[in-house]
């Protein structure tokens, strides 16, 4: 499963790295955090990890995260 999230509260490259590390610890296939666009692309096995698990991991370290609905323009 590939999912895109909006991440709020990041102000620097260190913030970006913190978010990436927190999500990687969940055991996702891949994660790419973009500081400039405030987005995060995550590839994960939905049988092992849920969307809520990813959001919780980001929120636990002090940032906000919400799924992005790609159909909105």
């Amino acid at each position: 499963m590939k999912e895109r999230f909006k991440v709020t509260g990041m102000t620097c490259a260190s913030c970006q790295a913190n978010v990436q590390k927190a999500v990687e610890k969940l055991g996702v296939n891949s994660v790419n955090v973009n500081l400039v666009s405030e987005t995060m692309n995550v590839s994960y096995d939905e049988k092992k990890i849920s969307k809520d698990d990813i959001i919780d991991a980001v929120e636990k370290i002090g940032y906000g995260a919400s799924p992005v609905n790609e159909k909105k323009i």
Side-chain angles (χ1 to χ4, degrees), residues 4-72:
R4 187 178 189 96
F5 296 86
K6 176 77 172 169
V7 180
T8 57
M10 296 187 299
T11 58
C12 63
S14 180
C15 296
Q16 176 183 352
N18 288 339
V19 170
Q20 183 145 343
K21 285 178 189 173
V23 175
E24 284 174 345
K25 285 181 183 179
L26 295 173
V28 298
N29 298 331
S30 68
V31 57
N32 183 358
V33 181
N34 187 306
L35 176 64
V36 177
S37 65
E38 295 185 327
T39 59
M40 172 176 66
N41 294 312
V42 184
S43 174
Y44 63 98
D45 182 348
E46 65 271 17
K47 293 175 185 168
K48 297 178 182 176
I49 302 167
S50 73
K51 204 181 299 189
D52 289 336
D53 292 334
I54 295 167
I55 292 169
D56 287 345
V58 174
E59 289 178 347
K60 280 181 185 174
I61 61 167
Y63 305 97
S66 58
V68 173
N69 185 346
E70 292 292 336
K71 293 178 184 174
K72 289 183 181 176

